Amino acid sequence: MRRVGLMAAVMLMVTGVLMINQNCSGMGVGNKLLGQEAQNQGGSTNNNNNNNNNNGPGGPVIPEASKLCPELDVREGSVQVEQINPSQASALPGLIQSAVPGTAFILSPGVYNLSATLQFNTAGLRLASSTGRPEDVILDGNHQGGSIIQISAVNVVIANVTVRRSFYHLIHFVDGGVGGKVYNVQLEDGRQQFIKSSSFNTPSDNVEVACSSFVLTASGRAKVDPSGGGCYTGGIDAHKSRNWWVRDNVFKDIYCNNGGLAEHAVHFWNSSRDTLVERNFIHNCARGIGFGLGETKDEIGRSYTDYPGVTTEAAKYVGHFGGVIRNNLIVASTQNRFDTGIGLEQAIDAKVHHNTVYSTDAATFAALDIRFVNSNPDVANNLLYPTSYTRGGGSPNTYLANVISKPEYFKSDPDLGIRLDPEHAEVISKVRDQGVVVVGAELDLEGKERDASPDIGAVELPPQEEEKK
């Protein structure tokens, strides 16, 4: 079991969203942050309503830790299987477009040089490597053409492959890409955003992105689209999207060195809703996780009947509705290229729990930025350095057991970059056992179960008796 491409993925899948008891107050052991499983995991495919069918990704299931990122065989349940080899690369776009629903395309090892987009416009199609190892099958756009994969049909699965060097996006969800899954995929060097979700009519809801890696290399950085401020790339960028589940991924080195600011590793905005972002490792990315962007827009991206008062006025505009950001580790250790760890801009009713955010850019970096009047998050058990900000009228609804850390709290770690020093006096007094209990966040970044007095941050410290052995 491993975090694809970079680190061990020994974590446990926990879903659902906490609804915080508004009567909770105070900090430290004994303060319970009570809740219930309440995330709307279904979502609507209608742009103007909020019906839920409970069929979205990440239903209330807690599997065993060993099954967090299990092997996925897309042939199981398929209607038919097409075996493909690299010599068929030029024919692959046509084969996919003419496939019957439920076809699984199984690719033999090799490099597939693609000059045309793979358009998945038929329901239930799957594409995966024959070996289950993403490094064995490489879909290479050579920075030419458009996007490498475009998804506009329901229940499409992309698994166990490498997708690299797009001209636009590596994977693009457009109208109707509902219920998609990107699993155990290595995404490298998107000239624009690696995974994009945009729609005009039917939003791409209920998508799961899991156990995958997003990496911008030095050669890919030289190819980034220079428009939009000079660094028009990012990890996941989703408009008007509901019930996405982004879990157990690695995002690495998504930044530019030409003076431009890259987009977030994970970004949901323009009226997106109910996004669950958990157990991701974000290393040296210009911006970490973002809900919403800007104080207002010229139009509302998507309307919901249970939020009837939303307009384009700054006082009534919402960039993101609901959602949870939990158990993520965000580390930035290269100077002058990093801006925000977790950014909430006109993000209403968000939950931010058990994250660790750390940057050596202490003078310019905001570990947590709560911005504009409709940003009212519940914030609990986060370990932040150098600081957090509230500005433009943004203010947390609940702020419990959060700690502004110090560099000396951490020591270097070969997998995560940094790890808490369990012997540091202030870690013992301010971090260990000092959290409040949060329903839904019982498993830490590495899949360890938190005890009745949880530690603050993304990673639960080992029990003290284990440290002495």
Side-chain angles (χ1 to χ4, degrees), residues 13-241:
M13 178 168 54
V14 179
T15 66
V17 171
L18 170 66
M19 296 183 66
I20 290 181
N21 184 332
Q22 302 303 322
N23 295 321
C24 291
S25 62
M27 297 178 62
V29 179
N31 294 305
K32 301 295 186 181
L33 192 59
L34 304 177
Q36 62 185 6
E37 303 296 329
Q39 186 169 7
N40 295 324
Q41 287 288 3
S44 167
T45 58
N46 185 316
N47 195 39
N48 295 309
N49 66 41
N50 64 308
N51 298 324
N52 296 302
N53 55 27
N54 295 319
N55 291 325
V61 176
I62 303 177
E64 297 176 8
S66 62
K67 297 180 180 179
L68 176 68
C69 291
E71 293 183 4
L72 176 64
D73 187 349
V74 303
R75 289 168 287 203
E76 294 181 3
S78 63
V79 172
Q80 66 180 44
V81 175
E82 296 287 344
Q83 301 287 344
I84 305 295
N85 62 65
S87 68
Q88 297 173 279
S90 62
L92 186 57
L95 294 172
I96 290 172
Q97 289 211 59
S98 62
V100 300
T103 298
F105 289 89
I106 305 302
L107 277 57
S108 298
V111 177
Y112 292 72
N113 291 299
L114 300 172
S115 58
T117 299
L118 304 181
Q119 297 190 23
F120 289 80
N121 50 23
T122 301
L125 298 185
R126 300 102 176 269
L127 182 145
S129 66
S130 61
T131 64
R133 296 188 297 268
E135 60 271 23
D136 289 347
V137 170
I138 298 172
L139 304 178
D140 195 340
N142 295 292
H143 293 304
Q144 299 177 0
S147 298
I148 295 178
I149 292 172
Q150 182 168 294
I151 298 172
S152 59
V154 300
N155 300 331
V156 171
V157 178
I158 309 297
N160 309 331
V161 297
T162 294
V163 187
R164 75 181 185 191
R165 300 199 301 179
S166 60
F167 187 81
Y168 292 138
H169 312 295
L170 297 170
I171 300 176
H172 190 187
F173 287 86
V174 295
D175 281 316
V178 176
K181 185 173 187 136
V182 178
Y183 187 87
N184 191 28
V185 173
Q186 292 184 6
L187 298 116
E188 298 176 4
D189 294 342
R191 186 170 176 269
Q192 295 185 1
Q193 296 84 27
F194 288 31
I195 295 181
K196 181 84 168 186
S197 175
S198 56
S199 64
F200 293 97
N201 299 305
T202 307
S204 295
D205 292 345
N206 305 335
V207 173
E208 179 183 0
V209 181
C211 305
S212 297
S213 65
F214 298 67
V215 178
L216 184 61
T217 68
S219 59
R221 192 169 295 111
K223 296 285 188 178
V224 164
D225 187 341
S227 62
C231 186
Y232 189 56
T233 190
I236 300 173
D237 182 69
H239 299 256
K240 300 184 287 187
S241 300

Side-chain angles (χ1 to χ4, degrees), residues 294-297 311-318 346 372-374 392:
E295 188 173 15
T296 189
K297 285 180 65 68
T311 72
T312 59
E313 299 175 37
K316 299 180 179 180
Y317 176 72
V318 179
Q346 295 287 45
F372 304 130
V373 294
N374 287 309

